[in-house]
Amino acid sequence: MEYRIAESASGSAVLHITEVHALSGFRLWAKFSTGESRILDLTPLLDTEAFRPLCDPALFGQVGLDHGVPVWQNGAIDLSPAYIYTQGSAV
């Protein structure tokens, strides 16, 4: 199945991630449905309660995708594709 940018009911673009990998230093590499890739350093988020469990490198490395959204712990922790796109660095 191929994902592209879809439109929400309001007509705004919805980004999908097609591939995701955990990198060293709590960085996340993501490939978007547009073909673009971004790297995001999650270190600043690890101080928040929601993302604190990802301080464990083994858990951080278990990132997966659920309908184009990066998730950990079977969806207990997720990260918005739009956040990664806007806050990440293009590669």
Side-chain angles (χ1 to χ4, degrees):
M1 174 180 276
E2 185 176 321
Y3 291 100
R4 299 221 181 265
I5 292 182
E7 287 190 4
S8 68
S10 67
S12 61
V14 177
L15 289 168
H16 292 281
I17 293 176
T18 59
E19 192 176 342
V20 67
H21 298 284
L23 304 176
S24 63
F26 298 105
R27 294 173 303 136
L28 198 65
W29 175 88
K31 183 175 182 180
F32 289 84
S33 52
T34 61
E36 298 169 275
S37 298
R38 297 281 196 272
I39 292 179
L40 177 67
D41 181 359
L42 269 69
T43 304
L45 296 177
L46 299 180
D47 286 335
T48 65
E49 185 176 339
F51 291 97
R52 193 165 294 126
L54 298 181
C55 287
D56 175 358
L59 178 59
F60 185 80
Q62 294 175 16
V63 63
L65 282 176
D66 184 9
H67 300 285
V69 176
V71 296
W72 293 265
Q73 296 184 317
N74 294 320
I77 301 171
D78 63 18
L79 189 59
S80 162
Y83 182 84
I84 297 170
Y85 190 86
T86 59
Q87 300 301 310
S89 300
V91 291

